[in-house]
Amino acid sequence: MPLLVAGAGAENLTAGLAKALSAGTSQVEFKTFPDGEQYVRILAPLKGEDVIVVQTGYPPERMWKLLLLLEAAAENGADRVRCVVPYLPYARQDRRFLDGEPVSARLVARAISQNATECITVEPHKADVAAFFTVPCHLVSAADAFAAEFKTRGVDVVLAPDAGARDRAEAVARRIGAQVDHLEKRRISSEVVEVKPKSLSVGGKTVAILDDIISTGGTMVKATEQLVRHGAKQVICAGIHGLFIGGAVEKLRGAGAHEVLVTDTIDSAWSRVSMASSIAEALGRPRVPAR
Ligand code: R5P
C-alpha cells in the first residue's frame, strides 16, 4: 500500500487520493526559518515505503517544499518516490522567448526528476513540458472531471478564451454533447477591437469559459463581459488551476460571472472539481520509460 506524504496547499486532493488509493497518509512538519528558508520533516517512517509526495506549486515558494519533501523521502530510504505536483509551477516559461531568458519549466522538471522516480501533474499550460522530465511524467486531463460538473449545470456551450485553448474546450464539450467555440478578436477600426465567439451565438445559453489558469482573472473578465453583452443566460468561469490573484473572483463577479469553478489542484473556496479519481487512476497505470 502506498504512503501519501501530505504537502501543503492541496489538502482536499490529498484526502481524496488517500481514499481512492486506500493509502495511509503521513503528515509533515513545516517551518519557515527567520530568514525565510523552509524546513520540512516527514513524520512517518519511510524505509522501504512506496511514497507518493503530494505538493502543489502555488504560491511558487511551495516549489521549495516540494523539492525538500522529495529529498527527504529519498534520503530516508523510500523504495519508490512518486511525485504528484497537481499545479506545476513555472510551466508557462517553457521556452526561451527572448535572448537571456532561462527555460524555467525545464529547470523545474529536472529538479523534480532528481529524487522522484516519476511525476504526475494536471494539465500544464502546454503538454510539451512532460519531455523536460528525465523520469516518466504523466499528464492528467481534467476533461472528465469538468464534463461531469458542466453536465449537472446544463452547460450549452464550452468556450475557449482563444484558439490555442480550443482543444481543451473541445475535449469537455464532446463528452457532454455541448457546442464548442473560441473567442476571437476582430479589428473593427483602428481604435476599436471587438472580442466575440468565432461562430456561435450565445444568446440565451449557459456558457462555460474554460482556461488552464485563472490568475489575475483579466482574461476571463474580458470574455465574461463580451458574453454578457451578447446575451448569454449564464456565464461560468472555469479554470483548471485557480490562483486568484488580486481580487480576481470579485472582478469576475463584477463582470457578470454566475459561478467561478476550478479544480482542487490548489485549495480555494472555488475548488469544487475534484481531480482525485483521475490522478488515482494515473497512479495505477503502467508507465512507459522516459526518453
Ligand atoms: C495564458 O497563457 C493562460 O492560458 C491563461 O489564459 C492566463 O494565465 C490567465 O491569466 P489571467 O487570469 O491573469 O488573465
Side-chain angles (χ1 to χ4, degrees):
M1 193 170 64
L3 176 70
L4 291 170
V5 171
E11 275 132 53
N12 289 334
L13 175 62
T14 309
L17 280 175
K19 199 166 163 205
L21 297 167
S22 304
T25 302
S26 172
Q27 296 307 314
V28 174
E29 183 185 347
F30 289 111
K31 279 196 288 201
T32 303
F33 290 107
D35 59 2
E37 288 184 359
Q38 303 282 305
Y39 169 92
V40 307
R41 182 173 171 234
I42 301 173
L43 296 174
L46 297 165
K47 195 153 182 51
E49 293 287 349
D50 176 9
V51 168
I52 302 172
V53 171
V54 186
Q55 176 58 66
T56 198
Y58 183 79
E61 65 263 22
R62 288 204 166 127
M63 185 62 206
W64 278 111
K65 288 187 166 66
L66 171 65
L67 296 180
L68 292 169
L69 288 171
L70 295 172
E71 174 75 13
E75 172 67 24
N76 288 277
D79 228 23
R80 174 153 82 140
V81 184
R82 286 181 284 174
C83 167
V84 175
V85 52
Y87 172 68
L88 185 69
Y90 290 94
R92 281 172 286 182
Q93 181 76 24
D94 58 356
R95 64 188 177 90
R96 187 156 43 87
F97 298 94
L98 298 172
D99 286 347
E101 290 180 347
V103 182
S104 313
R106 186 177 59 206
L107 174 74
V108 165
R110 285 180 180 165
I112 292 172
S113 302
Q114 194 160 350
N115 282 312
T117 49
E118 102 191 39
C119 181
I120 284 120
T121 190
V122 178
E123 297 205 25
H125 184 60
K126 285 203 199 111
D128 301 355
V129 296
F132 291 148
F133 287 81
T134 57
V135 294
C137 175
H138 186 86
L139 306 184
V140 176
S141 163
D144 284 338
F146 272 107
E149 296 291 334
F150 287 177
K151 196 167 181 187
T152 62
R153 288 162 175 79
V155 167
D156 302 302
V157 179
V158 184
L159 189 75
D162 55 46
R166 189 174 169 119
D167 285 356
R168 179 177 296 113
E170 245 162 26
V172 178
R174 204 172 40 239
R175 283 165 166 79
I176 56 171
Q179 294 178 295
V180 65
D181 204 356
H182 68 268
L183 287 174
E184 196 177 56
K185 282 186 191 162
R186 280 189 204 143
R187 184 161 292 283
I188 308 297
S189 67
S190 55
E191 282 89 35
V192 182
V193 174
E194 189 188 53
V195 180
K196 64 191 280 273
K198 184 171 163 47
S199 39
L200 288 179
S201 152
V202 293
K205 294 178 182 164
T206 296
V207 184
I209 315 163
L210 180 61
D211 203 354
D212 59 337
I213 300 171
I214 303 179
S215 178
T216 64
T219 307
M220 286 274 175
V221 164
K222 277 197 203 115
T224 303
E225 285 169 349
Q226 293 311 315
L227 295 176
V228 169
R229 207 164 66 81
H230 286 91
K233 183 170 76 177
Q234 287 187 341
V235 178
I236 299 169
C237 292
I240 315 286
H241 311 287
L243 313 187
F244 301 127
I245 293 159
V249 172
E250 291 66 31
K251 287 180 200 157
L252 292 171
R253 291 215 188 284
H258 176 76
E259 188 181 2
V260 178
L261 192 64
V262 291
T263 75
D264 52 5
T265 58
I266 302 164
D267 284 333
S268 74
W270 301 275
S271 308
R272 298 197 195 95
V273 182
S274 176
M275 290 306 300
S277 65
S278 302
I279 294 175
E281 197 205 320
L283 283 161
R285 224 175 277 156
R287 297 276 162 262
V288 284
R291 61 187 178 98

